[in-house]
Amino acid sequence: MSEQQSYPWPDASSTGVGSWPGDDPDEAVRTILGELPALPHLPELPGRGVGADMVGRTAGLLVDLPVEVQPSGWRVADTPGRDIARATSLMSYDLDALTEHAHAFTGTLKIQVAGPWTLAASVELRNGQRLVADPGACRDLAESHLEGVLAHIAEVRGRVPGARLLVQVDEPSLPSVLLGSLPTASGLSRLRPVDRVRAEGVLRTLFAAIAGTGAVPGAHCCDPAVPVDLLRRSGAAVLSLDALLLTRAHDEMVGTAVEAGVGLLLGVVPATEGTPAQAARMSDPAATVDPVRDLWNRLGITPDLLSRAVVTTPTCGLAGASPGHARAALTASRAGARVLRDEPRRQAS
């Protein structure tokens, strides 16, 4: 890896994972742009309800694959209905707010979409079974998802023409898909695991298409069983992970990714209010990023690269936090990023 490795963000950057509390997209965009000037993201507001949740938000991007909400969740439908209309409308409000406040922005802007395997694990077929159980349906979903994501990228680029886009593909359910831990519709058994080669192929096609637009493809998964190697091989140029869940078992995979030039978005700040001890730790920027500095030391990579390769974030989305904690989490993330630049090595106690 070259010492001059470039990343799609400035040195000592911080950002958010995606979601934000509240229901006002105008206020949310203004806040994110103000709090995260180096690497802002398009905030998601799932508190608005159906169509603003992670699955519904991306389902609204699907092409020729309508879905609707049933008591058990999102399900494939015969024709587009009010649920998808609502999802599309909510996204439009978000993009209007982005246009108003970020039209002249010229840095890197992160947007988020649910990944094809998380959608396949979350959306039901008409018989109530998860879509991931049907290989043919998965192929249709992947094609529809790809077309919709590319259209979304074009739409955002038209709204913020000077920005470089970082497209974060959220795959929280990918480990369950690969491990075969998803329950069947009856709940009495588990679905068979999806072949890793097949899963990787779908993601490789998606990431290559994103890169082909000039955007940067990334992936987010905050599961302890995150398949780092698979995501890297698939072409993710950025990996968003929960640093507090990374153990020595992840070291080789993470080290290989960094050596390959993959950038890291590492969650270091609790996404929701915690114990007094956690709050005290959050107020200490050095303690906040100690897990990252310890990881870097174990990997044996030059400290000079740390604040360039790593972006600090909350551990997950902030939709479940109070507005006060959400702002404090971004403040703590920014302070932690400065520590990684100024003190990349953890000081001996």
Side-chain angles (χ1 to χ4, degrees):
M1 178 181 58
S2 169
E3 284 295 308
Q4 300 304 313
Q5 171 70 37
S6 63
Y7 297 93
W9 47 67
D11 188 25
S13 291
S14 60
T15 192
V17 172
S19 66
W20 188 254
D23 58 9
D24 184 343
D26 188 76
E27 179 183 0
V29 169
R30 282 191 288 104
T31 299
I32 294 299
L33 288 170
E35 297 285 340
L36 300 170
L39 183 57
H41 63 91
L42 178 62
E44 303 165 352
L45 304 173
R48 292 176 293 182
V50 171
D53 58 293
M54 179 184 66
V55 173
R57 187 176 176 83
T58 303
L61 304 178
L62 297 177
V63 177
D64 296 329
L65 185 60
V67 297
E68 62 186 6
V69 175
Q70 294 291 327
S72 55
W74 287 93
R75 181 176 292 185
V76 173
D78 293 323
T79 58
R82 62 182 181 182
D83 298 324
I84 286 301
R86 176 175 168 79
T88 302
S89 177
L90 291 172
M91 178 69 82
S92 179
Y93 294 149
D94 294 347
L95 294 178
D96 287 346
L98 184 70
T99 303
E100 180 177 351
H101 299 288
H103 180 74
F105 180 75
T106 56
T108 298
L109 171 69
K110 183 166 71 73
I111 60 176
Q112 306 81 218
V113 295
W117 292 112
T118 291
L119 283 185
S122 305
V123 175
E124 300 174 348
L125 296 166
R126 292 180 181 84
N127 63 7
Q129 188 61 274
R130 296 175 192 263
L131 191 149
V132 72
D134 185 326
C138 285
R139 285 192 296 271
D140 292 342
L141 174 64
E143 293 173 1
S144 173
H145 177 268
L146 174 59
E147 188 174 348
V149 168
L150 295 182
H152 183 53
I153 291 172
E155 172 77 7
V156 176
R157 182 167 284 130
R159 304 281 191 136
V160 193
R164 183 183 188 186
L165 297 184
L166 167 54
V167 182
Q168 175 183 298
V169 177
D170 292 327
E171 283 286 15
S173 298
L174 180 59
S176 297
V177 168
L178 297 173
L179 296 172
S181 59
L182 291 170
T184 59
S186 68
L188 300 177
S189 60
R190 295 289 182 266
L191 296 176
R192 297 175 63 179
V194 169
D195 179 74
R196 296 178 76 90
V197 173
R198 180 172 146 233
E200 184 177 324
V202 169
L203 291 172
R204 182 181 294 112
T205 298
L206 174 62
F207 292 146
I210 291 172
T213 70
V216 179
H220 168 72
C221 181
C222 53
D223 190 284
V226 52
V228 174
D229 278 347
L230 185 151
L231 293 171
R232 172 186 57 79
R233 290 194 307 266
S234 299
V238 174
L239 294 177
S240 174
L241 312 168
D242 183 345
L244 306 187
L245 297 179
L246 296 178
T247 67
R248 291 179 181 273
H250 297 95
D251 284 0
E252 183 176 354
M253 292 185 289
V254 174
T256 299
V258 174
E259 290 290 342
V262 173
L264 301 177
L265 274 55
L266 295 183
V268 295
V269 179
T272 56
E273 290 86 345
T275 65
Q278 289 173 320
R281 182 173 174 275
M282 184 171 151
S283 67
D284 181 347
T288 295
V289 296
D290 276 346
V292 176
R293 296 193 291 184
D294 290 345
L295 168 67
W296 217 249
N297 183 60
R298 296 198 306 268
L299 297 181
I301 300 174
T302 173
D304 295 342
L305 186 65
L306 180 53
S307 66
R308 289 193 282 128
V310 173
V311 171
T312 52
T313 76
T315 55
C316 201
L318 295 168
S322 68
H325 178 83
R327 286 178 177 271
L330 298 189
T331 298
S333 295
R334 289 201 312 274
R338 290 192 292 269
V339 171
L340 295 185
R341 179 193 60 202
D342 300 336
E343 303 175 36
R345 294 186 186 276
R346 185 176 182 178
Q347 301 301 309
S349 55

